[in-house]
Amino acid sequence: MDGTRVPTDSLAWCCPVCRGPLDLDFAPTPATLKSLTGRVNSLWRYTECLPLSAPSVSLGEGRTPLVSLTEKVSAKLDFLMPTLSFKDRGAVLLAELALRLRPRRVVADSSGNAGTAVAAYCARARLSCTVYAPEGTSAKKLEQIGAHGARLEVVPGDREAAARAAREAADEEGTFYASHVFNPYFLHGTKTYVHEVWEELGGRLPEVLVVPVGNGTLLLGAALAVAELHAAGLIDRRPALYAVQSAAVAPLAHAWQEGADDLVGVTPAAPTAAEGIAIPHPPRARQILRAVRESGGTFLTVTEDQLRHAQTDLASQGLYVESTGVACWAATREGPLATRTAVIPLCGAGLKSGLPTTPF
């Protein structure tokens, strides 16, 4: 992120100078709507926009349904992915890259969904994989990671403790760090979410894209896709990005309220049902804040009560989504978007964490 260049065939996982996340020097031109007809029914149909081609580890990820929730708001059912979360979009790129680099082993850190996705695609690629997860991670998510054959390391402490353990392991020779935060290939996978929305809406995007934000990988991927579509003249305006955080862990929303370009006065995280976005110190904070600001969007926060009500409300409509994955619906159903068209992602399946047990 400081301009230092790293070879694409390197196992380096961060900038060797500032130790920050890497970005990819890649500015593709998307295909037109008409030319997508008849292509493979997965995210690999957007091959012009992907930094890797001819996949060998695909599980058919992508092309999830878009359904209406209200007259203005539609939901993209990304919990209907092979591993039941949107993280498959980026994990398939990481596994494909690792397969080509042939490391001795792959390591990842996760509060559940990213680790599951990396474990699954590494299994598909026949790559040795170790996932570091914080204590308190949903038992169902840990079970799913183990079922794919990954070595599971449960780390005492919070999400950041698991990240530190993985980064220490990532510095060992012959190790590929399949980081959904530091590795830019992951972002180029998540951006296919917006390419699909654009295609499903007949070559347009809604006024607002509402996205849950912890480490910001879906939001930054969305910003990439919007920029690509706009530069190619395939959309005439850019949608606003609305970033949603749990009120219990909202460092980016706090920085936004302060008008800051980076994190300010971060306080310890409080418990939240939205474990997947409970990230007190996101490494790409500056990029996230800049992307939201440049889009004309804003940050929203949701309470634990709002999360619980949103989860049961979606379940009553036939959509069983995990508590992190309902954050955008929690922000939208009672929020400031009543007069604007919006698309929200339902990011993870309810089977991963279950319904809340705390009474309303």
Side-chain angles (χ1 to χ4, degrees):
M1 293 173 65
D2 62 3
T4 302
R5 302 185 73 85
V6 176
T8 56
D9 61 352
S10 168
L11 289 176
W13 60 269
C14 66
C15 172
V17 177
C18 70
R19 300 285 285 183
L22 299 173
D23 287 317
L24 196 60
D25 186 10
F26 180 59
T29 300
T32 63
L33 196 64
K34 183 177 180 180
S35 67
L36 293 173
T37 302
R39 292 194 181 188
V40 61
N41 193 36
S42 74
L43 63 80
W44 294 94
R45 68 196 282 109
Y46 310 108
T47 182
E48 292 91 348
C49 293
L50 295 173
L52 299 172
S53 60
S56 57
V57 300
S58 176
L59 292 167
E61 56 286 329
R63 298 285 285 166
T64 54
L66 187 69
V67 301
S68 296
L69 295 179
T70 69
E71 183 180 351
K72 296 285 188 179
V73 179
S74 296
K76 187 128 170 69
L77 310 191
D78 257 24
F79 65 91
L80 298 180
M81 288 282 200
T83 76
L84 308 182
S85 92
F86 87 95
K87 296 290 177 63
D88 290 6
R89 294 186 182 276
V92 67
L93 268 292
L94 295 185
E96 189 68 37
L97 178 60
L99 186 64
R100 299 178 188 200
L101 296 178
R102 289 293 178 184
R104 179 172 56 85
R105 66 167 181 164
V106 175
V107 300
D109 59 278
S110 170
S111 60
N113 286 340
T116 298
V118 169
Y121 285 94
C122 281
R124 182 77 166 175
R126 299 293 187 264
L127 294 168
S128 173
C129 178
T130 300
V131 176
Y132 294 82
E135 61 183 1
T137 299
S138 163
K140 286 294 183 182
K141 292 179 181 178
L142 296 179
E143 177 185 331
Q144 193 177 6
I145 291 169
H148 292 305
R151 177 183 175 186
L152 186 60
E153 295 282 354
V154 178
V155 179
D158 60 11
R159 177 67 180 80
E160 292 194 338
R164 287 192 296 271
R167 290 168 198 166
E168 183 176 343
D171 285 330
E172 297 177 12
E173 186 177 354
T175 300
F176 177 84
Y177 183 23
S179 172
H180 57 294
V181 183
F182 280 77
N183 194 307
Y185 281 80
F186 194 92
L187 305 181
H188 285 271
T190 62
K191 75 182 180 185
T192 59
Y193 168 87
V194 170
H195 283 287
E196 289 179 19
V197 171
W198 170 79
E199 184 181 1
E200 288 158 343
L201 292 179
R204 61 183 179 85
L205 289 174
E207 295 172 277
V208 178
L209 291 167
V210 189
V211 187
V213 173
N215 276 311
T217 55
L218 184 54
L219 183 138
L220 291 174
L224 283 172
V226 168
E228 291 169 1
L229 290 166
H230 189 263
L234 297 175
I235 54 173
D236 57 9
R237 57 164 184 79
R238 301 185 186 217
L241 298 175
Y242 277 46
V244 181
Q245 294 207 285
S246 163
V249 189
L252 291 160
H254 175 63
W256 180 265
Q257 291 166 359
E258 296 294 318
D261 294 329
D262 206 344
L263 302 180
V264 292
V266 177
T267 57
T272 177
E275 62 180 4
I277 54 173
I279 310 296
H281 302 94
R284 293 187 184 268
R286 293 182 66 86
Q287 287 178 282
I288 297 165
L289 289 162
R290 183 171 64 248
V292 173
R293 187 170 289 115
E294 290 178 351
S295 77
T298 191
F299 279 80
L300 304 172
T301 60
V302 292
T303 66
E304 299 305 294
D305 277 347
Q306 285 178 297
L307 288 169
R308 286 191 290 268
H309 281 291
Q311 189 178 30
T312 53
D313 179 59
L314 284 172
S316 74
Q317 298 184 56
L319 301 168
Y320 189 29
V321 184
E322 68 170 329
S323 48
T324 298
V326 304
C328 291
W329 180 232
T332 303
R333 65 193 289 256
E334 300 173 351
L337 295 173
T339 62
R340 306 182 72 182
T341 58
V343 170
I344 66 171
L346 302 183
C347 297
L351 293 173
K352 287 174 172 280
S353 58
L355 284 169
T357 56
T358 305
F360 297 137

